[in-house]
Amino acid sequence: AKGSLRSVKMGRPQKSNKCYTNYSKTSKTPRRPFEKERLDSEMQLVGEFGLKNKREVWRVQLLLAKMRKNARDLLTLDEKSPKRIFEGAALLRRCGRLGLLEEDKRELDYVLGIKVADILARRLQTLVFKQSLAKSLHHARVLIRQRHIRVGKQMVNIPSFAVRLDSEKHIDYSLTSPFGNGRPGRNKRKSAAGGGGGGGDDAADDED
């Protein structure tokens, strides 16, 4: 009490323990920052799926941890519990839409077996490369960020966008993209105006 009064008398502001953020963390840093096995596995995921940094891996790990926690909590309840029936069906329906669970594995026990690689495989960046719309995973990320890719009628410029199973077949070049019979790129228009030949593939990369 004396210390607090003294700090007020000296004109020092007291520290507040209140947190005014109205959002939760999207990623969680590891407890052991220099664990070799974890570092190797994270670097393997970053290289396999063309991620920007390890924070994208940590974000998926936190999402998966929340899903597993919900599944474990629901498994402790009685099978006829209204909460388990309602929330369990919603969790399984969500995993089914994202393609994380097959039709014959729509049970809470199989939610605990979902891995980080399973969620990363449903990213838009990964599917664009698998459908041969890009030359590499890094090229797929560039195309998405430069607004060349659409899912259905909606243009998507987020590489980590989780694609549903029913939307996977609707991934294509956007209508305004030079790759999708849209307006030619800036370099190709320059070469055409100057009477030169075609600008090549990289002419379509620079879009106005």
Side-chain angles (χ1 to χ4, degrees), residues 87-106:
E87 295 186 6
L91 180 60
L92 294 176
R93 186 166 56 249
R94 180 188 178 192
C95 294
R97 285 178 179 176
L98 292 177
L100 302 176
L101 292 178
E102 299 178 359
E103 289 290 340
D104 56 342
K105 296 182 179 180
R106 298 290 176 86

Side-chain angles (χ1 to χ4, degrees), residues 64 67-68 71 91-92 95 101 107-114:
L64 184 58
M67 291 172 56
R68 288 174 176 171
L91 180 60
L92 294 176
C95 294
L101 292 178
E107 296 181 6
L108 292 175
D109 294 330
Y110 291 102
V111 176
L112 302 177
I114 299 177

Side-chain angles (χ1 to χ4, degrees), residues 146-164:
Q146 293 184 355
R147 306 164 70 89
H148 289 290
I149 302 298
R150 64 184 169 95
V151 180
K153 296 181 180 180
Q154 181 66 42
M155 188 276 302
V156 182
N157 64 341
I158 302 175
S160 61
F161 178 78
V163 182
R164 295 183 177 181

Side-chain angles (χ1 to χ4, degrees), residues 16-87:
S16 175
N17 294 326
K18 293 184 179 180
C19 182
Y20 295 100
T21 56
N22 59 350
Y23 57 89
S24 59
K25 288 186 177 181
T26 58
S27 63
K28 188 176 180 181
T29 56
R31 293 181 179 178
R32 300 180 179 178
F34 304 110
E35 191 176 6
K36 186 178 184 305
E37 294 182 359
R38 182 188 54 78
L39 291 173
D40 294 341
S41 62
E42 288 176 352
M43 286 301 298
Q44 184 178 359
L45 290 173
V46 170
E48 182 179 354
F49 295 97
L51 305 181
K52 180 181 179 182
N53 48 37
K54 290 185 178 181
R55 189 172 298 277
E56 293 191 340
V57 179
W58 300 340
R59 184 169 63 231
V60 175
Q61 288 176 347
L62 182 61
L63 172 65
L64 184 58
K66 291 181 179 179
M67 291 172 56
R68 288 174 176 171
K69 183 178 183 302
N70 292 337
R72 283 195 300 267
D73 292 343
L74 293 174
L75 285 172
T76 58
L77 301 176
D78 185 50
E79 293 184 358
K80 298 182 180 179
S81 173
K83 181 178 180 181
R84 176 169 177 173
I85 295 174
F86 180 76
E87 295 186 6

